[in-house]
Amino acid sequence: LVIFFLLLGAGQPVVWAGIKDQGPDFTQIDGYVQAEMQRAAIPGLAYAVVQRNQVIHMQAFGVADPSGRPVTAQTPFVIGSIGKTFTALAITQLEAAGKLDMDAPVRRYIPWFRTADSLDTSPDPAGQITLRHLLGHTSGFSHDDGNKTIFFDERSTLEALVRKIETVHLSR
């Protein structure tokens, strides 16, 4: 349910329908979702309500693509930028568990981590980049470099994509 609110960016809480003996009535929630979709011009979405590790309600609305194919509960969506949130949460949890240090250089965890500047300057700027720099977008990579098409190859492994950073010069 938390992800549902994050994805919609809801500023108002959902007003839950009265709980009956057979469980909640999700009609109001579905109506709210449809109204927010319209307000935010969201073409399609699917959501689920999970309680005690059980899906208790699933619904899909709208279209999945320009062809008009309807969204279903099984429609895959590109995770896009929300993956950063999950990554940051996982890293924060690993740090809290003492399994990594966000202020350590990235090379402690990825020894081959290099940028195009790694051979050009001394000290090597890539060797000074920490996990905290990457999470806080203060590593020196530019927004433009992050949007280069070389980083949008869904056939590449994660390691192959990270290795492509060797072609990027830091902007600061």
Side-chain angles (χ1 to χ4, degrees):
L1 190 55
V2 171
I3 292 173
F4 163 73
F5 287 118
L6 288 174
L7 291 174
L8 284 182
Q12 299 292 323
V14 172
V15 178
W16 289 83
I19 307 275
K20 301 176 182 137
D21 290 339
Q22 66 269 31
D25 174 7
F26 292 101
T27 307
Q28 284 185 310
I29 296 172
D30 291 345
Y32 175 81
V33 169
Q34 289 177 303
E36 288 298 305
M37 282 179 64
Q38 187 172 14
R39 183 187 66 75
I42 298 170
L45 66 80
Y47 82 96
V49 177
V50 179
Q51 183 179 37
R52 295 184 191 96
N53 296 327
Q54 296 241 328
V55 174
I56 60 171
H57 179 69
M58 227 179 337
Q59 190 58 268
F61 302 105
V63 296
D65 55 40
S67 75
R69 180 173 53 96
V71 173
T72 69
Q74 289 73 37
T75 301
F77 287 88
V78 177
I79 194 165
S81 290
I82 200 162
K84 295 175 205 167
T85 306
F86 296 125
T87 301
L89 174 63
I91 288 173
T92 303
Q93 289 174 330
L94 288 169
E95 182 179 47
K99 296 185 178 188
L100 61 77
D101 177 3
M102 286 202 300
D103 296 310
V106 172
R107 284 202 188 135
R108 176 183 291 179
Y109 307 102
I110 306 173
W112 44 263
F113 181 78
R114 302 276 185 278
T115 66
D117 309 285
S118 293
L119 299 175
D120 299 341
T121 59
S122 181
D124 175 7
Q128 299 171 43
I129 297 173
T130 67
L131 295 173
R132 188 175 309 279
H133 289 136
L134 292 174
L135 289 175
H137 300 270
T138 58
S139 62
F141 291 106
S142 75
H143 180 270
D144 291 339
D145 285 330
N147 285 323
K148 285 184 175 179
T149 57
I150 63 169
F151 296 114
F152 293 96
D153 181 0
E154 65 270 357
R155 296 166 299 181
S156 289
T157 64
L158 180 59
E159 180 179 336
L161 291 172
V162 173
R163 285 189 184 274
K164 289 179 182 182
I165 290 173
E166 294 176 349
T167 67
V168 175
H169 286 275
L170 296 173
S171 64
R172 56 195 169 285

